């Protein structure tokens, strides 16, 4: 595995691969790898000739009162895991590379960014869209892999790629979960043991709503009631939103007539977690091949 920390060197590598006619897969991340990241890398490895993973903790997607400074960073462990996942290249730019002095241009992600995470985290999706546009421009992949765990982000990135004519395909990858159902997230590391137990309520809420959907319930307020019922039964959970939304517009639904996603966000202690499921989709617990070991 090669590691590049400058844009120029990474571009030289990509250009050579492209000249050889290779199919290039890209997995953008903020590092602190867990099985969710590795599932993306494995999928890219299975699909593509050359796989590039970036690690960049993007300051512009963190709010002033968020955890940019304390976000977990461990390049040595991440490099080992990326190597074991047979990644070809790790791209680890610095903040100055991505946002050099004088940098001004940002990407507005449009109305998909207004609700849910966008409302709770003003500026977050502009930061995500801006860094994705920059990384896509640098890496110029054929395919880019994103987790369904961050469903709103996935939809925004799909739109960004189409609207700015990047010409690559966005591949969604199912959410990897721990044995207790919790969606793997670098932020789970912040949870106290009590909050960790309590945070399984996000998964339990989604399972309950999904079960009602599978039984035939299509009234979105009833399905949303299932989400709330589980979360409100959990004293440590501070619920931020529960929603049943259209899979593409992310607008809340009255009745589920076509595909819908159930989304939840809650705080456990100081840690804010999100989760979602496509209604009607089986919700597997255990992450494929177990957890990432460092
Ligand atoms: P992050 O490092 O948190 O920015 O995540 C990098 C990529 O990994 C994003 O596309 C996320 O959606 C994806 N991801 C994060 N957690 C999971 C998970 N539990 N399962 C699948 N993909 C995930």
């Amino acid at each position: 595995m090669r590691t590049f920390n400058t844009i120029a060197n990474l571009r030289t590598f990509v250009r050579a691969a492209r000249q050889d006619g290779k199919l290039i897969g890209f997995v953008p991340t903020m590092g602190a790898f867990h099985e969710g990241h590795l599932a993306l890398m494995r999928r890219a490895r299975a699909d593509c000739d050359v796989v590039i993973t970036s690690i960049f903790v993007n300051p512009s997607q963190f709010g002033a009162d968020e955890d940019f400074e304390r976000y977990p960073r461990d390049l040595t462990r991440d490099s080992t895991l990326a190597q074991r996942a047979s990644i070809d290249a790790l791209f680890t730019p610095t903040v100055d590379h991505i946002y050099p002095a004088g940098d001004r241009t940002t990407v507005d992600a449009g109305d998909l960014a207004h609700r849910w995470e966008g409302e709770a985290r003003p500026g977050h999706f502009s930061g995500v869209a801006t860094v994705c546009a920059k990384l896509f421009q640098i890496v110029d992949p054929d395919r880019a892999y994103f987790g369904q765990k961050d469903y709103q982000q996935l939809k925004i990135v799909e739109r960004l790629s189409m609207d700015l004519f990047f010409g690559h395909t966005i591949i969604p990858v199912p959410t990897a979960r721990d044995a207790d159902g919790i969606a793997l997230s670098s932020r789970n590391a912040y949870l106290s043991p009590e909050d960790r137990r309590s945070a399984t309520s996000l998964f339990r809420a989604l399972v309950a709503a999904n079960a009602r959907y599978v039984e035939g319930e299509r009234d979105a307020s009833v399905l949303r009631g299932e989400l709330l019922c589980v979360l409100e039964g959990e004293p440590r959970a501070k619920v931020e939103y529960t929603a049943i939304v259209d899979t593409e517009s992310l607008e809340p639904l009255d009745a589920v007539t076509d595909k819908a996603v159930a989304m939840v966000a809650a705080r456990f202690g100081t840690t804010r977690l999100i989760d979602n499921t496509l209604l009607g989709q089986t919700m597997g617990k255990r992450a494929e091949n177990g957890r990432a070991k460092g």
Side-chain angles (χ1 to χ4, degrees):
M1 184 181 76
R2 310 273 305 273
T3 300
F4 300 100
N5 48 29
T6 69
I7 293 172
N9 288 349
L10 191 268
R11 277 195 162 140
T12 304
F13 172 81
V14 173
R15 207 171 298 126
R18 203 163 275 302
Q19 270 164 9
D20 289 346
K22 308 279 195 204
L23 190 78
I24 297 169
F26 179 41
V27 181
T29 81
M30 297 203 301
F33 290 159
H34 50 64
E35 189 60 30
H37 297 114
L38 298 178
L40 267 60
M41 293 183 218
R42 275 199 296 272
R43 177 69 201 277
R45 181 72 285 164
D47 290 355
C48 303
D49 301 316
V50 171
V51 180
I52 300 166
T53 295
S54 64
I55 298 178
F56 180 64
V57 184
N58 173 35
S60 73
Q61 70 186 70
F62 287 78
D65 56 348
E66 291 186 355
D67 55 344
F68 175 70
E69 295 298 339
R70 71 166 184 150
Y71 196 84
R73 292 164 171 88
D74 189 344
L75 186 56
T76 309
R77 175 179 177 276
D78 286 351
S79 294
T80 306
L81 291 172
Q83 191 143 23
R84 276 192 215 150
S86 304
I87 294 312
D88 298 290
L90 205 53
F91 179 44
T92 58
T94 63
V95 172
D96 290 343
H97 288 136
I98 300 296
Y99 300 103
D103 176 88
R104 282 177 173 72
T105 307
T106 58
V107 178
D108 180 339
D111 65 339
L112 285 178
H114 292 170
R115 284 184 193 269
W116 321 123
E117 289 307 283
E119 200 173 335
R121 306 179 67 190
H124 171 67
F125 284 125
S126 172
V128 169
T130 302
V131 80
C132 283
K134 285 172 181 264
L135 291 171
F136 291 158
Q137 196 60 37
I138 294 165
V139 177
D140 187 24
D142 297 296
R143 295 183 184 175
Y145 294 80
F146 284 83
Q148 282 174 1
K149 149 81 172 34
D150 300 289
Y151 190 80
Q152 190 173 8
Q153 169 175 283
L154 167 68
K155 290 292 134 179
I156 286 171
V157 172
E158 282 177 355
R159 203 59 254 175
L160 165 88
S161 291
M162 282 190 273
D163 293 347
L164 299 186
F165 303 107
F166 278 108
H168 55 238
T169 309
I170 300 293
I171 311 286
V173 179
T175 302
R177 298 181 179 281
D178 229 327
D180 56 7
I182 284 194
L184 295 171
S185 162
S186 307
R187 290 193 168 99
N188 291 349
Y190 304 149
L191 294 167
S192 68
E194 297 78 32
D195 285 331
R196 160 98 211 181
R197 268 191 297 280
S198 168
T200 59
S201 56
L202 293 172
F203 175 71
R204 287 185 277 114
L206 295 170
V207 168
N210 199 38
R212 283 301 288 271
Y213 176 86
V214 170
E215 283 164 20
E217 182 61 65
R218 294 294 181 269
D219 182 333
S221 65
V222 175
L223 295 168
R224 189 166 164 257
E226 287 290 333
L227 298 172
L228 267 175
C229 179
V230 175
L231 289 172
E232 285 176 350
E234 186 54 65
R236 301 182 79 86
K238 288 190 206 69
V239 182
E240 291 210 351
Y241 61 78
T242 55
I244 306 293
V245 305
D246 178 80
T247 52
E248 300 308 311
S249 71
L250 305 180
E251 290 295 317
L253 297 167
D254 293 328
V256 182
T257 51
D258 197 359
K259 289 187 195 154
V261 182
M263 305 199 302
V264 287
R267 268 180 205 281
F268 300 86
T270 55
T271 308
R272 189 172 178 283
L273 298 178
I274 59 172
D275 203 347
N276 71 81
T277 188
L278 278 169
L279 290 175
Q281 180 171 283
T282 314
M283 297 187 67
K285 269 193 188 175
R286 168 61 83 178
E288 226 181 300
N289 297 338
R291 294 177 67 185
K293 294 183 185 67

